[in-house]
Amino acid sequence: MKIAITAVSDEISGALDGRFGRASKFIIYETDTGESSVIDNAKNLEAAQGAGIQSAQNVIEAGTSAVITGHMGPKAFKLLRENNITVYLTEL
């Protein structure tokens, strides 16, 4: 299973980014192999609007089954749920 984790750096051991749509990066962690890759989300950091939906689309295209983040807007949440992606919200 692939899990998208909002992150402030490229390191799996780095800090969680509490924002979903404007997260610095997404670490895509593959639970079956323990391998990870990074999606740079810099394009959405400066977006005037729609950052959450575009970030959700990127996570969907990466083939993830779950997302771990601190906060997510309702439109991004709805899009992920419509694509059968489980969302886990956590405090920093």
Side-chain angles (χ1 to χ4, degrees), residues 22-91:
R22 297 188 192 282
S24 297
K25 304 188 185 284
F26 294 101
I27 294 180
I28 308 300
Y29 180 75
E30 176 58 62
T31 60
D32 296 332
T33 64
E35 294 180 7
S36 62
S37 60
V38 176
I39 297 174
D40 190 343
N41 198 42
K43 184 177 183 181
N44 290 320
L45 284 173
E46 303 300 324
Q49 60 185 7
I53 291 176
Q54 185 55 52
S55 293
Q57 191 61 44
N58 292 340
V59 167
I60 292 165
E61 290 172 7
T64 62
S65 300
V67 171
I68 300 173
T69 190
H71 173 76
M72 179 181 294
K75 292 177 185 176
F77 183 82
K78 181 180 181 214
L79 180 58
L80 291 171
R81 294 300 300 149
E82 288 172 350
N83 283 274
N84 298 314
I85 296 174
T86 304
V87 176
Y88 297 95
L89 301 178
T90 185
E91 292 185 26

